[in-house]
Amino acid sequence: MPYVESAVRGPQIVAAARAVLIRDGVAKTSLRAVAAEAGIPLGTLQHVFPSKQQLLQAVIERVVDDISDVLRRTAETDAGLAHAIRNGMRNFWSALVTDERELQVLQYELVTHALRTPGLEDLARIQYARYTEAVRQWCAEAADLAHETSAVPLDRLARVILGAVDGLILQHVAHPDPARSAADLDTVADMVVALAAPVPQ
């Protein structure tokens, strides 16, 4: 097998680990299974990630990066705060929930794993801080572009949005019902817009 630098091999291994974790769950995932998925010798994987914990940390960081990126990219900030809230939530749901049940189950499993594993606890806090900041940023951009103010601080608004959507995702993965979830998401968006009560500056 030709030599491949760790900087290149690392993302390949993380992608393989993500596939195995989605298929088998955290408890049943082994370094050997990930190596097989990646098509590399176990020793090569262990050179990059000597332990399962190090590999799981890399997967968590990658999932957080990917979801934060989607949160930023799906925002529509050019038509006011209410529009940004409604369409940001819908676009995020379409991109990362509708056909991504396994990814969302994996995310919850990784959060629980981080909270229960000494040395990884901060990863869960960092994860939600990153998501909250991404939402706060697109709310702030939308409000600034429209010269609007929110009735509540934008960091609080972002936490409320994230908490509400997180709860809807958990209900959706436990009992998938696209029509119900879409209606519930619209209801939550209406509630959040009413909470924000954007008005011109």
Side-chain angles (χ1 to χ4, degrees):
M1 176 175 291
Y3 172 75
V4 179
E5 291 186 5
S6 294
V8 175
R9 184 72 77 192
Q12 296 172 344
I13 294 171
V14 169
R18 184 165 162 167
V20 174
L21 285 161
I22 286 174
R23 185 185 69 224
D24 299 337
V26 171
K28 293 182 180 178
T29 292
S30 66
L31 293 182
R32 189 174 301 281
V34 174
E37 180 74 22
I40 60 174
L42 178 60
T44 300
L45 185 150
Q46 290 176 314
H47 176 73
V48 182
F49 296 106
S51 70
K52 181 178 175 180
Q53 289 304 105
Q54 288 172 302
L55 178 56
L56 287 175
Q57 179 171 344
V59 171
I60 291 170
E61 290 169 351
R62 180 72 260 168
V63 168
V64 171
D65 286 345
D66 290 348
I67 291 177
S68 296
D69 183 57
V70 171
L71 280 168
R72 285 189 295 271
R73 286 189 293 103
T74 56
E76 296 182 17
T77 60
D78 58 351
L81 183 55
H83 177 88
I85 291 168
R86 288 193 173 96
N87 287 278
M89 290 170 64
R90 288 182 189 134
N91 293 344
F92 171 80
W93 193 277
S94 177
L96 276 183
V97 182
T98 301
D99 296 317
E100 296 286 353
R101 180 180 183 276
E102 293 81 5
L103 173 63
Q104 294 302 330
V105 171
L106 172 61
Q107 180 185 234
Y108 284 114
E109 194 171 1
L110 289 172
V111 168
T112 303
H113 176 77
L115 289 171
R116 289 182 176 275
T117 304
L120 295 185
E121 303 96 333
D122 272 358
L123 285 176
R125 179 187 58 78
I126 291 167
Q127 175 178 359
Y128 278 91
R130 289 271 306 278
Y131 297 161
T132 300
E133 179 57 18
V135 175
R136 189 203 65 77
Q137 285 179 357
W138 54 254
C139 286
E141 182 176 328
D144 288 345
L145 288 173
H147 305 291
E148 294 175 336
T149 58
S150 169
V152 296
L154 293 181
D155 58 341
R156 184 184 306 160
L157 188 67
R159 289 193 300 272
V160 169
I161 290 171
L162 183 59
V165 171
D166 220 21
L168 291 180
I169 291 172
L170 189 54
Q171 292 182 65
H172 181 76
V173 299
H175 180 198
D177 184 333
R180 183 204 67 214
S181 294
D184 290 350
L185 190 68
D186 285 345
T187 298
V188 167
D190 289 342
M191 293 167 62
V192 173
V193 169
L195 175 67
V199 294
Q201 291 178 352

